[in-house]
Amino acid sequence: MGVLVTLAGLTVDFDTGRRVVRALHGVDLAVARGEAVGLVGESGSGKSVTWLAALGLLGSRARIRGSVLLDGTELVGAPVRVLEAVRGKRVAMIFQDPASSLNPVHRIGRQIGEALALHRGLAGAAARAETLRLLDRVGIPAAARRLDDYPHQLSGGQNQRVMIAMALAGEPDLLIADEPTTALDATIQAQILALLGELRRDGNMAMVLISHDLGVVAENCDRVAVMYAGRIVEEAAADRLFDAPQHPYTQGLLDALPDLDGPRRCLAAIPGTVPEPTRLPPGCAFAPRCPRAESACAAAIPPFRLLASGHRAACLRPGTAAVAERERAVA
């Protein structure tokens, strides 16, 4: 699989009017064609901002630096015409709340038709036929009758399927799914995730799944990147990361999950909260919440260490010692 998109040294500063606040601190990430990458972390870690910045969707108060290469085309600082050719056509994004993403005063058939006209130049009967095909593809029952419905006439799960159909209208190479199942019940959530997986495999489409749900990421992603306070702190193949997490933050996220098998135990919550971008501690941002922090952690930001093939972590004390300590705490 060749690399489709590469983020290198991506930083984002927001001008609040009184000061400039840095939200992203040099994100490096690559996504291959057809690959599913999970992006996890608590709220405020910078997951959504990373991809909104990559697509130039943060507005005029955001100062974006670094590099975002899509098949060799630089997106950071690119002209509007270049970004407009990429958004929806090469890279599509679906959001966690379809109710706020769909226009409530336009019928869903018209909204999907607009995407088809913009990205593929379809109109009239051809656009209607393709709209029906997309709605059938995403599992909307009685698609022909639903074309003239408004978003409020559909359930939350059906609206999310409409959003997926709109994202697929441009036949994108990369789909950014930002918490696509948060507002859905467990049954509909499983159906949506199965649909995304099927669509990805059928079209060799790459996907970035942004989620708080580690179980969802484990089942649907090939590789996982863990973000904290605007930085990626650990990255590995999904099976390796969940079997042998090396960063204490990743271990804390996993310890907070209940075990379906084995003895019952109290969940181990991570103390504190993600720091505000204006109040980051010196050195490692996770150090104030880390049970194994030492003085060196506050001296400088820990660099990434390659621990195994494809597995890296930004921690001064990664490895088996951390895993052993976690196991002792659970016991």
Side-chain angles (χ1 to χ4, degrees), residues 8 23 61 72 154 168 225 235 270-271 287 293 327 331:
R61 288 187 175 272
L154 278 65
L168 295 176
E235 181 184 350
I270 303 174
E327 291 173 346

Side-chain angles (χ1 to χ4, degrees), residues 11-15 49 53 57-65:
T11 65
V12 174
D13 297 310
F14 287 105
D15 185 352
V49 169
L57 294 172
L58 287 179
S60 59
R61 288 187 175 272
R63 303 174 185 175
I64 304 168
R65 295 181 177 85

Side-chain angles (χ1 to χ4, degrees), residues 137-138 168 191-205 207 220:
R137 188 71 183 87
V138 299
L168 295 176
Q191 293 174 0
I192 294 294
L193 291 169
L195 171 63
L196 289 175
E198 181 183 346
L199 294 170
R200 183 176 67 84
R201 290 187 294 271
D202 289 349
N204 195 34
M205 178 178 64
M207 181 175 72
N220 294 277

